Amino acid sequence: MFFFPFFLSSFQYFPKVSFLKNLPVLSQATLRPTVSLDDTLNYEARQDVQTRTSWNAPIIWELMFDPNFYDKEHLEAKTTVALTVFAVGRYLDAYLNTFLTSAEKHFMVGLPVTFYVFTDQPEKVPNITLAPRRHLKVIKVERYSRWQDISMMRMKTISEIIEKELRHNFNYVFCLDVDQEFKGRFGSEALGESVAVLHVYYYKLPKTQFTYDRNPKSKAYMTEGDYYYHAAVFGGSCDKVKALADYCYLNTMEDKLNNVEALWHDESHLNKYFWLNKPSRILSSEYCFDPLIHYKTEVIVPRLVWAPKQYAKLRT
């Protein structure tokens, strides 16, 4: 395993944006997850889907939880949440405004939240209206020529910002892709120590059809696994998310030195990580849903949906 230093000058704060004001005061202690409410989940409420893993982690579906109770407990515990999102190149114009405005409407409503936007064009980030105790912070990052490299460096940057700032100020952090739109509650029921989301196109398929990386030369190589997870959404405590980000970045870099690229890039490494380090909470595909899926699913409430993909236009 090769070691690469994480605390490089790959990003900088952008101080000229007015909505960086009134952010939470930085502390020195590492904040921990606040409350565990898994024993209040109704695992029998959904007979049509799996609601618990073989290692006893909950799989969160609609009807399993009381949203008001969850929010009350987390408000009393003074839970704080950070959300990171990368909007680089044409992805900013195409998706960021919709992502942020819908996040403010549906993501962890009522809780203190800071949205961290990483972009190469800070001056173009929309100045959206935020509720009290909710903030938007813009951080400038370098733009890479290949989208695969942008994806790889995302993990490095997440690790750096957690070490530098997030772990002192937030109990939880979620990392999301920008080409998505919140359509319903994405609330405190999603919070946990280590959180993964089921890929909507794979959760009903046999494991033999999961698209793990099957190349033995890659650090992402897998012959078996539990589920297929979508890298568009992951989260947890700062320590756990940093461990995931470090793992994915270091193994991607080792592959790069060996002239190998994992099949699905950081998603392949993420799946390998969660195979070796089981998530403590899994979100159903309600939390990352494709509205264009052509067959019936068990999703009752699509909470976060894929925006129309424009790869040919945006990745040029």
Side-chain angles (χ1 to χ4, degrees):
M1 176 72 71
F2 294 88
F3 177 77
F4 297 86
F6 285 96
F7 309 112
L8 306 177
S9 300
S10 61
F11 62 85
Q12 64 188 64
Y13 296 107
F14 193 76
K16 296 181 181 179
V17 185
S18 62
F19 39 85
L20 299 191
K21 299 177 180 178
N22 302 318
L23 287 165
V25 177
L26 299 183
S27 66
Q28 294 303 313
T30 297
L31 296 188
R32 303 296 180 187
T34 48
V35 294
S36 176
L37 304 173
D38 290 356
D39 58 351
T40 69
L41 292 169
N42 184 354
Y43 293 95
E44 308 302 321
R46 295 293 299 271
Q47 298 294 319
D48 55 333
V49 291
Q50 184 182 3
T51 58
R52 207 190 303 250
T53 70
S54 61
W55 60 94
N56 214 33
I59 304 175
I60 306 299
W61 294 86
E62 174 67 2
L63 304 180
M64 287 178 58
F65 59 91
D66 180 343
N68 295 324
F69 175 74
Y70 262 80
D71 289 348
K72 174 178 174 293
E73 293 296 311
H74 279 280
L75 282 168
E76 291 179 355
K78 295 180 169 48
T79 296
T80 53
V81 184
L83 186 155
T84 71
V85 64
F86 287 70
V88 178
R90 297 172 183 172
Y91 276 72
L92 189 153
D93 290 329
Y95 298 119
L96 184 60
N97 186 70
T98 296
F99 179 90
L100 289 175
T101 55
S102 65
E104 173 59 13
K105 185 176 180 181
H106 296 293
F107 182 77
M108 305 293 164
V109 174
L111 294 181
V113 172
T114 298
F115 302 105
Y116 283 80
V117 176
F118 297 87
T119 181
D120 58 328
Q121 306 168 86
E123 70 283 355
K124 296 179 71 174
V125 173
N127 191 356
I128 65 171
T129 301
L130 298 170
R133 302 188 303 159
R134 294 169 74 89
H135 309 279
L136 177 62
K137 192 161 190 174
V138 178
I139 299 174
K140 187 173 183 178
V141 293
E142 181 180 352
R143 180 180 180 181
Y144 292 86
S145 58
R146 299 173 68 246
W147 68 265
Q148 294 93 334
D149 293 330
I150 295 172
S151 177
M152 174 185 70
M153 296 308 293
R154 175 180 73 145
M155 291 298 189
K156 175 177 180 289
T157 305
I158 288 170
S159 174
E160 290 177 340
I161 195 65
I162 288 174
E163 179 63 29
K164 181 181 179 69
E165 181 170 328
L166 302 192
R167 69 184 183 88
H168 304 300
N169 297 281
F170 301 96
N171 303 109
Y172 302 94
V173 55
F174 266 85
C175 307
L176 275 67
D177 284 356
V178 71
D179 53 347
Q180 303 180 96
E181 180 179 359
F182 292 87
K183 292 289 191 179
R185 172 193 169 90
F186 194 121
S188 56
E189 74 284 349
L191 298 174
E193 184 80 25
S194 176
V195 182
V197 65
L198 296 179
H199 198 298
V200 66
Y201 280 96
Y202 293 97
Y203 81 90
K204 298 177 74 168
L205 295 180
K207 293 182 180 181
T208 54
Q209 296 186 38
F210 291 174
T211 55
Y212 298 139
D213 192 297
R214 311 290 184 178
N215 178 7
K217 295 181 180 179
S218 172
K219 297 294 290 184
Y221 173 63
M222 296 176 65
T223 58
E224 58 180 330
D226 302 304
Y227 303 94
Y228 191 84
Y229 304 111
H230 198 160
V233 177
F234 60 92
S237 70
C238 288
D239 286 347
K240 293 294 187 182
V241 175
K242 185 179 186 305
L244 165 61
D246 288 351
Y247 177 92
C248 292
Y249 173 69
L250 286 173
N251 282 285
T252 301
M253 288 301 294
E254 188 163 341
D255 273 0
K256 192 176 182 70
L257 289 174
N258 293 320
N259 295 314
V260 177
E261 199 161 75
L263 178 63
W264 296 114
H265 311 288
D266 57 348
E267 184 167 276
S268 296
H269 292 286
L270 176 140
N271 271 274
K272 179 71 171 287
Y273 177 86
F274 279 133
W275 166 239
L276 299 174
N277 306 271
K278 310 297 189 193
S280 65
R281 193 176 207 79
I282 296 178
L283 305 181
S284 70
S285 296
E286 297 170 357
Y287 294 84
C288 192
F289 184 72
D290 183 1
L292 299 181
I293 196 166
H294 60 276
Y295 53 82
K296 179 177 173 57
T297 71
E298 288 75 20
V299 171
I300 298 174
V301 180
R303 305 175 187 279
L304 179 68
V305 304
W306 303 7
K309 305 301 180 185
Q310 306 175 51
Y311 292 146
K313 174 183 177 181
L314 299 177
R315 290 182 174 176
T316 302

